[in-house]
Amino acid sequence: MDLSEYLLESFNSSKQSDVFENFLRAIPDFVYLIDFANGKIVYLNEKTGIIAHYKEEEIFNLDITISSIKKVVSGKALTDSIFNLYNEAKIGEVRSFIFEFTNKDGKRHIVRNRGTLLKVDTGGNASKVVVIAEDITAETESTEQEIHRQKQLNDAERLFNYGSWEWVFGNDYVTWSNGLFDIFGYDGNDYPDSRMVYGIYNHHIIPEDRQRVRELSLNAIANKQLFYEFEHEIIDLKGNRKLLNVKGKCFLDEKGEVTRVLGTSEDITELKKLKNTLKYKIEELSIAYEELKKTKDLFKEAESMMSYGSFDWDVEKDEIQWSDGLKRVFGGEIVHDLPEKLDYEFYKSRLHEDDLARVTEIVNQAIINKKSYAFEHRLFALDGVEKTVNTRGWVVINEHGKVIRFIGNTVDITELKVYERELENKLDELNKSNQQLEQFAYIASHDLQEPLRKIMAFGERLSSKFAGQLPEDGQFYINRMLDAANRMKILMENLLSYSRASRKIEPAEKVVLNEIIDMVLSDFEMKIQETDAQIEVLPLPTIQALPTQMQQLFLNLISNALKFVQPNQKPQIRIEAFEPTKQELKALNFPLKAKKYHKIVVSDKGIGFDTEYAEKIFVIFQRLHGRSEFEGTGLGLAICEKIVDNHDGYIKAESVLNEGAMFIVYLPNNN
């Protein structure tokens, strides 16, 4: 009879022998017998009840996690899982599995099971298995805790970029922690026993540090130092250069000899960079601090020169911190007489009586509305001098929305006000002078026309009545006189136009520019037919302007385009409008008085001019050609510029010599 048969007979007998029963009691673990035919446990020794507090019929009804299948099962699923484990086993073959469950007291239990197949049925399937089970809960939890502690240690090493090592004298290897493997670029899984061949560490040290590190380490051991520390650089397995901080401790035996060395190596590459950066920042801050001191001195000097100062008013304490500059504004020549405590009442006491109520109201509204403010007012300094100042303040509120402080500055603008008044007086005088000059030009050109008309009339009569009696040179002189008189007539008419362009003698109204162009072209009908001119007029905007001045503007521009052409060339003129971009307007370098502008372009294919004359051609009486080449007085473009200025616009010219000219007019879009 083999052991399996003996055990079966012993379990199946109605009364086990005392020897068998004592044997089961002596076993430190609990024993149970599984009958797969019935799906039940048919025997449990006493240890089972002591450990788990369950009876035979209760075991398979528990929720049990079996290690081999990694899931929770109970009832038939549990017996099927165990059956599958033994179904292909041979009688007497031992197989293991682990149970994890919770007992009646709510405690976790982990049980290691070693089962032996005792019997198979007629079909060769597993029938009965005897299992010896060992409670390994404490052992497993201890292992889990150790694994958890080791994981925490590994995580800490990775987090802080350090690793530990231990060298026991007499061994050819050094024990490395996972963190040290990471620092040097090795995979710790390739070294399950954590052992690294002695000398590998030194192999990674850069050549210039290697001898120094060797001497420091050997000296520490020779001198039996309980603690030593130094830095060195390495090149890891991937070629990265790193700076390490090494700390070591020597352990002595009972004879006082060093038997082992334990230490850590910390990767301080980034820390060193950070320290260097911090050192650099500290140096920068030191320089900035010195600059700040200089700036503060300059600020005080600027306050003194510019007659201004700043303030910080603590509303709750009613205390005002004044800069030295502001003290000079209020103190005048006797700053030392300012009171120790500067408060709101002192500030109000220095205000001009006519401004006191207005200033008080502005401050009160700032407290209510919690908004910044700016205003001018007058004050009397302690030396009695009246000053005009500009004060600007900002409100500071707390987390409850209550005003707690006012900060701001006050500028002494007394001299500026005096200068403004003088400037206004000068402007008034200049405007009066300009009006007188315009009036003189108007009257002079107007009154001169009458005698000029008589000169021309009598000259024409003289020429027609006595033409046959005058010698040839006499007739030549009369013709020259009439030409000069005619030029003077045109010049006076242009002077009148220039004078009118400076005055708004009519109200502005909506002007349809296409209609203005039509009237101008109608005036030039004969000239256009004679020269066979080609004129293209595209849709133009409607603007707010003086109609007669707009007519004069385009009359002069089109007249020039018809006039300045190459001999035997047909004039080609194009008039169009665009909407200029903000960048284009800014590039003009001229004060913009409207948000939007129209851009009107009058271009031709005429003789053009050199770009160096682009601005000179708008100067009064400026001519680029002699009268023998082209007629004119040099006033046409000056009148254009005056009209555009009168409408808060801008005019400029662009040209390529012998290729044509382009006159660009920018007028406000006030629609």
Side-chain angles (χ1 to χ4, degrees):
M1 179 183 297
D2 61 15
L3 180 60
S4 299
E5 293 176 347
Y6 174 75
L7 289 173
L8 276 174
E9 185 178 338
S10 298
F11 280 120
N12 289 332
S13 63
S14 58
K15 184 177 182 181
Q16 287 90 359
S17 66
D18 292 339
V19 175
F20 184 71
E21 198 65 40
N22 290 334
F23 168 74
L24 293 177
R25 289 195 185 95
I27 294 175
D29 306 314
F30 58 94
V31 180
Y32 59 95
L33 180 67
I34 303 175
D35 183 352
F36 289 119
N38 299 317
K40 294 181 180 181
I41 292 177
V42 295
Y43 174 81
L44 281 174
N45 70 347
E46 294 179 356
K47 297 291 194 308
T48 307
I50 293 172
I51 293 176
H53 308 292
Y54 290 108
K55 297 178 180 179
E56 293 95 323
E57 62 272 14
E58 295 176 323
I59 295 294
F60 284 161
N61 291 324
L62 294 174
D63 290 332
I64 295 177
T65 301
I66 301 179
S67 60
S68 59
I69 62 174
K70 301 293 184 183
K71 67 178 182 178
V72 179
V73 290
S74 63
K76 189 174 185 304
L78 177 57
T79 57
D80 287 347
S81 298
I82 301 173
F83 172 79
N84 291 334
L85 183 64
Y86 289 93
N87 194 33
E88 295 181 358
K90 297 178 181 179
I91 293 176
E93 186 176 343
V94 179
R95 295 190 177 182
S96 300
F97 55 94
I98 294 176
F99 280 171
E100 183 176 338
F101 60 91
T102 303
N103 68 11
K104 292 180 179 180
D105 296 332
K107 293 181 180 180
R108 176 193 185 204
H109 273 273
I110 302 172
V111 180
R112 182 189 295 121
N113 301 268
R114 294 186 181 89
T116 304
L117 182 61
L118 299 181
K119 183 180 179 181
V120 296
D121 59 17
T122 55
N125 297 317
S127 178
K128 291 183 180 180
V129 173
V130 62
V131 182
I132 298 176
E134 176 188 4
D135 187 350
I136 59 170
T137 307
E139 175 188 338
T140 303
E141 290 180 346
S142 177
T143 302
E144 289 174 348
Q145 289 174 359
E146 181 61 30
I147 292 172
H148 181 66
R149 282 194 295 270
Q150 186 61 44
K151 184 178 182 303
Q152 286 182 319
L153 178 61
N154 292 339
D155 291 344
E157 286 188 341
R158 289 190 175 94
L159 179 62
F160 295 105
N161 288 326
Y162 79 94
S164 58
W165 46 267
E166 182 182 21
W167 178 38
V168 178
F169 284 17
N171 290 328
D172 294 331
Y173 59 84
V174 180
T175 303
W176 283 15
S177 70
N178 288 337
L180 201 60
F181 281 112
D182 291 341
I183 289 174
F184 281 80
Y186 291 91
D187 186 350
N189 294 323
D190 295 337
Y191 301 85
D193 56 0
S194 298
R195 295 180 178 183
M196 177 60 74
V197 176
Y198 181 83
I200 293 295
Y201 188 110
N202 290 336
H203 174 73
H204 283 278
I205 298 175
I206 62 173
E208 51 266 40
D209 281 356
R210 202 168 291 164
Q211 183 61 31
R212 179 177 61 87
V213 171
R214 176 181 172 81
E215 291 176 357
L216 289 171
S217 300
L218 292 177
N219 288 337
I221 295 172
N223 297 325
K224 301 175 183 179
Q225 292 178 229
L226 294 180
F227 177 81
Y228 63 91
E229 181 178 4
F230 55 83
E231 294 179 3
H232 67 81
E233 289 188 75
I234 67 163
I235 297 177
D236 69 11
L237 199 59
K238 299 177 181 178
N240 300 313
R241 195 180 182 103
K242 298 178 180 178
L243 177 65
L244 303 188
N245 177 265
V246 177
K247 296 177 182 178
K249 182 177 182 182
C250 296
F251 289 85
L252 311 179
D253 61 11
E254 63 275 3
K255 296 179 181 180
E257 298 298 328
V258 178
T259 58
R260 66 189 181 101
V261 181
L262 182 67
T264 61
S265 295
E266 180 185 1
D267 181 358
I268 60 170
T269 309
E270 294 301 323
L271 181 61
K272 195 73 173 181
K273 290 180 182 178
L274 185 60
K275 285 182 178 178
N276 290 337
T277 302
L278 184 60
K279 181 181 178 182
Y280 175 73
K281 291 296 183 184
I282 291 173
E283 291 175 354
E284 277 191 331
L285 285 173
S286 299
I287 295 172
Y289 176 71
E290 293 301 323
E291 292 296 325
L292 183 62
K293 288 172 62 178
K294 294 178 183 177
T295 302
K296 189 175 181 180
D297 294 339
L298 289 172
F299 180 71
K300 289 183 177 181
E301 186 177 345
E303 281 192 339
S304 177
M305 292 176 60
M306 304 297 292
S307 297
Y308 78 93
S310 58
F311 62 86
D312 187 339
W313 176 24
D314 187 326
V315 178
E316 295 180 340
K317 295 180 181 179
D318 192 18
E319 293 180 358
I320 305 177
Q321 298 293 329
W322 285 7
S323 69
D324 293 343
L326 194 59
K327 290 178 181 178
R328 282 190 290 271
V329 171
F330 276 79
E333 298 296 327
I334 48 176
V335 178
H336 55 275
D337 284 348
L338 284 170
E340 289 291 329
K341 182 181 179 182
L342 299 173
D343 54 20
Y344 187 44
E345 289 303 319
F346 172 78
Y347 170 77
K348 292 197 297 183
S349 70
R350 308 314 306 170
L351 296 180
H352 192 288
E353 60 182 5
D354 293 341
D355 293 343
L356 177 59
R358 179 174 61 86
V359 172
T360 303
E361 178 62 20
I362 290 173
V363 174
N364 290 339
Q365 286 299 317
I367 294 175
I368 295 172
N369 300 326
K370 302 178 180 62
K371 292 183 178 179
S372 59
Y373 57 86
F375 57 89
E376 292 181 6
H377 65 85
R378 292 163 293 174
L379 60 84
F380 290 99
L382 291 180
D383 56 8
V385 175
E386 181 181 333
K387 299 180 179 180
T388 302
V389 298
N390 181 283
T391 295
R392 182 178 296 274
W394 292 267
V395 176
V396 179
I397 60 176
N398 61 15
E399 64 275 13
H400 304 296
K402 182 180 178 182
V403 175
I404 56 174
R405 289 169 58 210
F406 280 93
I407 57 175
N409 54 59
T410 296
V411 184
D412 183 354
I413 58 172
T414 307
E415 293 184 3
L416 181 62
K417 283 295 182 182
V418 172
Y419 175 74
E420 283 181 355
R421 285 193 290 270
E422 291 177 353
L423 185 61
E424 287 174 358
N425 292 335
K426 294 293 183 183
L427 287 174
D428 288 340
E429 293 176 5
L430 182 61
N431 288 333
K432 289 178 182 178
S433 176
N434 286 338
Q435 289 175 1
Q436 290 172 356
L437 285 173
E438 289 174 6
Q439 189 68 21
F440 171 77
Y442 178 80
I443 293 173
S445 58
H446 183 272
D447 292 348
L448 285 173
Q449 286 192 71
E450 183 59 31
L452 184 61
R453 278 195 293 269
K454 289 182 179 179
I455 291 173
M456 293 179 69
F458 286 122
E460 289 171 354
R461 288 182 185 179
L462 182 64
S463 175
S464 60
K465 188 172 182 180
F466 300 101
Q469 303 176 26
L470 289 173
E472 184 178 347
D473 56 348
Q475 187 65 44
F476 173 76
Y477 293 142
I478 290 177
N479 291 337
R480 290 290 300 272
M481 179 187 71
L482 290 174
D483 288 342
N486 188 56
R487 286 198 304 273
M488 188 173 183
K489 173 177 175 293
I490 295 172
L491 180 61
M492 284 190 291
E493 288 175 350
N494 286 341
L495 280 172
L496 277 172
S497 297
Y498 187 80
S499 175
R500 292 191 191 100
S502 302
R503 294 177 291 144
K504 294 183 179 180
I505 57 178
E506 57 183 329
E509 59 183 76
K510 282 189 177 182
V511 176
V512 182
L513 291 182
N514 280 98
E515 294 179 358
I516 293 292
I517 300 297
D518 289 342
M519 287 189 288
V520 172
L521 295 180
S522 177
D523 293 340
F524 286 117
E525 184 177 359
M526 294 296 295
K527 182 71 172 177
I528 293 171
Q529 290 179 0
E530 290 174 4
T531 60
D532 195 17
Q534 299 177 5
I535 302 176
E536 182 181 8
V537 182
L538 277 65
L540 301 175
T542 298
I543 62 172
Q544 285 290 124
L546 305 178
T548 57
Q549 291 194 5
M550 284 297 105
Q551 185 174 358
Q552 183 71 52
L553 169 66
F554 289 101
L555 183 94
N556 291 357
L557 293 177
I558 294 172
S559 174
N560 282 351
L562 290 169
K563 183 195 307 181
F564 295 106
V565 294
Q566 298 283 4
N568 303 319
Q569 184 182 26
K570 297 178 181 179
Q572 297 181 47
I573 305 171
R574 181 183 175 92
I575 305 172
E576 54 192 328
F578 305 93
E579 182 178 352
T581 64
K582 291 182 179 179
Q583 290 77 8
E584 181 181 355
L585 292 173
K586 288 181 179 179
L588 296 177
N589 193 25
F590 120 91
L592 303 174
K593 296 184 179 181
K595 292 183 178 180
K596 291 184 178 182
Y597 281 78
H598 296 293
K599 175 183 178 182
I600 301 147
V601 180
V602 180
S603 56
D604 62 57
K605 299 291 184 179
I607 62 173
F609 55 85
D610 199 313
T611 53
E612 67 175 294
Y613 299 109
E615 294 182 5
K616 294 181 181 179
I617 59 176
F618 293 104
V619 178
I620 191 169
F621 298 125
Q622 179 68 50
R623 293 176 55 88
L624 302 184
H625 307 280
R627 285 192 297 270
S628 60
E629 295 181 86
F630 300 98
E631 297 178 354
T633 61
L635 279 168
L637 291 178
I639 293 171
C640 290
E641 185 178 53
K642 181 66 70 174
I643 291 172
V644 173
D645 286 344
N646 203 31
H647 286 79
D648 297 326
Y650 183 80
I651 184 171
K652 68 175 185 175
E654 297 177 359
S655 178
V656 176
L657 188 62
N658 297 322
E659 293 186 14
M662 178 185 298
F663 289 87
I664 306 168
V665 179
Y666 296 90
L667 293 172
N669 180 353
N670 293 323
N671 295 326

